[in-house]
Amino acid sequence: MPKHQTRARVAFAATIALFSLFVVSSVAAAASWHPASGHAASRVRSALSSTQAQPAVLLGDRTVEPQTDSLPSGRAAAFRFRALSSGYARSIYLYIGSTNAAGSFTVGIYRDSHGHPGTLMVSGSGAVSAAGSWSTVPIARTGLLSGVTYWVAVLGRGGTLRYRDRLRGSCSSEASVQLLLSTLPASWRTASVGASCPLSAYVTTGVSSPVAPPAPETPVSTEVPSGSTEAPPTGTSGSGKASSNPLEPVAPVEQPTLEPPVSPPVESPPAESPPVESPPVEPPPTEQPPSEPPPVEPPPPAPPVNTAAPSVSGLAVEAQTLSAAGGTWSGSPTSFAYQWQDCNLLGLACVDIQGATSTTYALLAADVGDTVRVKVTATNAGGSVSAYSVPTSAVIAALSAPLNLLAPSITGQTVEGQTLKSTTGTWTGNPTAFAYQWQDCSAQGTGCQNISGASSA
């Protein structure tokens, strides 16, 4: 081969080798480059992925309303809300005012009864976590139905409870007629109706972080400035030193002059071997486990419905025993609870009688002059509902004189020579003896006079 062709081939091979080195260095630099914008995007994605889904809000108002309101210790108030969705309630949140003095509080949910709180569905108590913040109380799993009206009630203990609501809101609030309460009453009795609502309280399906306005964040730019060619130092120059820019051209390297051998080499034509094609290797198929849809929880069943009121039998006399019949219910109740109540002469202002929770009740001296009724509470998976009997007549004392409840009667034919017989009738006070006196009266039954010696039955 001529000498000038040999030198040209050597120089071309050196240039190819240097170009390959430059390409490999540039690829390695790109693979290891982590600009500041990449770190910012990673932090944003991490912050987004760490956000946990909050439990669903079923009922209430998550806004911190502007008005601070208060309840003295032992007084309760209820606020009306319409359920946002169906589900099982597990927690109630209440925003505590900054000037709160109550050490603990009770919250609960009441059914709606003709536009007023009715029977208590569930309640829970907890300590005030901190004034000027949300406090949470876990409650027993209770089903709520979307679009149905419920009442959220609050009760403070150990000082004046301060909470937040809105004056002249879109719903009404009510105060309980009972004072010095330690728990929410099973059946609400309205004392007054106001327009301060909605209450800053809400009900969720689980325990979540209290809702608060997010803290402002400094935005992090993820864009690379246009026109910038600066990159981390990678690769080497032809002198072996680190280059500040991998895109700079590499200085050419002088190759030594190669002298031809004494005798020209005999070149044999290169033997070309046919390319060996290897069959493509296909990765084994990856089997994905079948995805199962999450179980759908059925809506809670409807609570029991009273179709015939409970009733009370027995004499309303001190020391006598009254018996209760539970009435008739639909909805397949699974249990019944009884509570006897003492009422005034009109059958109003009824209060529970301590310990009187069976189907029978023995009247006491404290019941004399009042009326008595029984409250029956039926429960199923959908909740609890109470119904009341008609109050008894006024309870009379056992130590007073006997009182005739059913007049004596006479049997026999009113014919001369025939014998008449008398019954004693029905009396209260447990009479110990009876005396008889027959009387002769006019045809109109007036002007009666004792018949001498006629003193037997």
Side-chain angles (χ1 to χ4, degrees):
M1 178 181 293
K3 184 177 182 179
H4 70 275
Q5 292 183 1
T6 302
R7 289 181 178 177
R9 180 170 294 183
V10 171
F12 178 75
T15 302
I16 293 298
L18 289 175
F19 180 76
S20 299
L21 176 61
F22 170 73
V23 172
V24 171
S25 300
S26 299
V27 173
S32 61
W33 183 30
H34 298 281
S37 61
H39 289 297
S42 177
R43 288 195 298 270
V44 171
R45 287 193 298 269
S46 177
L48 292 176
S49 63
S50 63
T51 302
Q52 296 180 353
Q54 297 290 330
V57 175
L58 302 178
L59 185 74
D61 178 26
R62 295 195 296 175
T63 304
V64 179
E65 298 295 346
Q67 177 182 336
T68 299
D69 221 328
S70 64
L71 282 172
S73 179
R75 189 72 179 266
F79 299 79
R80 182 171 58 191
F81 292 100
R82 186 180 297 275
L84 303 174
S85 58
S86 298
Y88 287 99
R90 296 178 185 272
S91 299
I92 302 179
Y93 290 82
L94 174 67
Y95 190 89
I96 304 298
S98 58
T99 58
N100 173 71
S104 60
F105 66 99
T106 299
V107 287
I109 303 174
Y110 283 83
R111 297 186 185 280
D112 181 75
S113 177
H114 305 292
H116 299 280
T119 56
L120 180 64
M121 298 175 62
V122 67
S123 65
S125 301
V128 174
S129 58
S133 65
W134 293 93
S135 291
T136 177
V137 173
I139 57 174
R141 183 171 177 242
T142 303
L144 302 180
L145 294 176
S146 175
V148 175
T149 297
Y150 300 93
W151 292 76
V152 176
V154 295
L155 165 68
R157 298 192 301 275
T160 300
L161 176 66
R162 304 279 182 179
Y163 56 92
R164 301 293 285 272
D165 57 18
R166 176 155 40 98
L167 186 62
R168 290 181 293 276
S170 59
C171 62
S172 63
S173 59
E174 300 196 6
S176 173
V177 71
Q178 304 179 65
L179 300 176
L180 302 178
L181 293 169
S182 58
T183 59
L184 288 173
S187 181
W188 191 270
R189 292 204 301 275
T190 300
S192 60
V193 178
S196 294
C197 74
L199 170 72
S200 292
Y202 61 95
V203 181
T204 70
T205 57
V207 178
S208 67
S209 301
V211 175
E217 295 182 0
T218 303
V220 180
S221 174
T222 59
E223 296 182 359
V224 178
S226 60
S228 173
T229 58
E230 184 178 354
T234 58
T236 58
S237 66
S239 62
K241 296 182 180 179
S243 172
S244 62
N245 192 339
L247 302 182
E248 291 182 359
V250 180
V253 181
E254 295 184 0
Q255 298 295 328
T257 303
L258 299 178
E259 295 292 339
V262 178
S263 59
V266 178
E267 292 187 359
S268 57
E272 294 183 359
S273 58
V276 178
E277 294 185 359
S278 57
V281 179
E282 295 183 358
T286 304
E287 294 185 359
Q288 297 293 334
S291 59
E292 296 182 358
V296 178
E297 196 170 77
V305 176
N306 179 249
T307 56
S311 60
V312 175
S313 59
L315 297 176
V317 180
E318 179 187 359
Q320 295 294 316
T321 298
L322 302 179
S323 298
T328 305
W329 300 79
S330 64
S332 302
T334 55
S335 65
F336 294 92
Y338 295 82
Q339 175 63 63
W340 293 88
Q341 295 182 327
D342 195 21
C343 310
N344 60 21
L345 285 174
L346 299 178
L348 304 175
C350 303
V351 294
D352 292 347
I353 300 173
Q354 187 70 24
T357 56
S358 67
T359 56
T360 60
Y361 174 65
L363 294 168
L364 305 175
D367 301 318
V368 174
D370 294 336
T371 60
V372 175
R373 74 177 184 181
V374 66
K375 177 180 73 173
V376 179
T377 302
T379 302
N380 66 6
S384 299
V385 174
S386 298
Y388 302 84
S389 70
V390 175
T392 65
S393 59
V395 179
I396 61 175
L399 298 180
S400 59
L403 178 66
N404 179 251
L405 300 179
L406 183 64
S409 60
I410 297 175
T411 59
Q413 295 181 353
T414 54
V415 178
E416 181 182 1
Q418 298 296 314
T419 299
L420 302 179
K421 294 183 180 180
S422 172
T423 64
T424 59
T426 303
W427 302 78
T428 66
N430 298 321
T432 57
F434 293 94
Y436 300 87
Q437 177 60 59
W438 294 85
Q439 293 183 329
D440 193 14
C441 308
S442 67
Q444 290 76 28
T446 60
C448 302
Q449 295 182 351
N450 292 342
I451 301 174
S452 179
S455 55
S456 68

